[in-house]
Amino acid sequence: MAAERSDTLIGDEVVRTLGAEGRFSQVLVQVSEGHVTLSGDVPDAATRRQVEATVAAIEGVRGVRSHLNIDSGSHSFGPRGRAVRDDPDGDDAAHGGATGQDGNG
C-alpha cells in the first residue's frame, strides 16, 4: 500500500490544479488529514460541482467539504468567473470612493 500523501502535498496539487483552470483560481483551499475544505465564490452550480469533482479526483484526497457560494454577479463586478466581490461593509474603497477624491474631503 502506498504511503498517504501529506496535507501540504495535497494542498499544493489542489491549488495548482484549480489555478490551471483560470475560472477556479478564486477558490480557497484548506486541507486537514486528507479532507479538503473549499470556500469562495463560483458563478453557478455546474461550476461548483466541477470544482468539487476535480478536487475529489486528486490523489490522497479523502473527502471534500464544500462551502462554495454561487455568485451570479449580483455581489461582485468584473467578468463572470473572474469577478471581484464588493466590500461587504459597503465601503466603496475598491472603486476609489474612500480616497478623498469625491470632493467631500
Side-chain angles (χ1 to χ4, degrees):
M1 183 165 89
E4 289 186 24
R5 292 180 80 191
S6 72
D7 289 344
T8 300
L9 288 176
I10 293 169
D12 287 348
E13 185 171 347
V14 169
V15 169
R16 192 171 43 255
T17 300
L18 294 179
E21 177 70 40
R23 61 195 180 112
F24 300 160
S25 63
Q26 298 301 308
V27 174
L28 303 175
V29 177
Q30 291 181 308
V31 184
S32 178
E33 297 180 12
H35 293 274
V36 179
T37 301
L38 305 170
S39 59
D41 296 323
V42 293
D44 52 48
T47 301
R48 180 172 59 190
R49 288 189 298 273
Q50 188 176 6
V51 169
E52 294 164 353
T54 298
V55 171
I58 292 174
E59 180 184 348
V61 173
R62 298 174 61 196
V64 177
R65 295 180 189 109
S66 180
H67 297 286
L68 294 172
N69 299 309
I70 296 172
D71 179 6
S72 63
S74 61
H75 297 289
S76 57
F77 60 94
R80 241 179 112 125
R82 294 177 183 249
V84 177
R85 181 171 285 288
D86 285 339
D87 185 68
D89 298 326
D91 181 7
D92 202 20
H95 301 286
T99 62
Q101 297 176 358
D102 60 0
N104 293 330

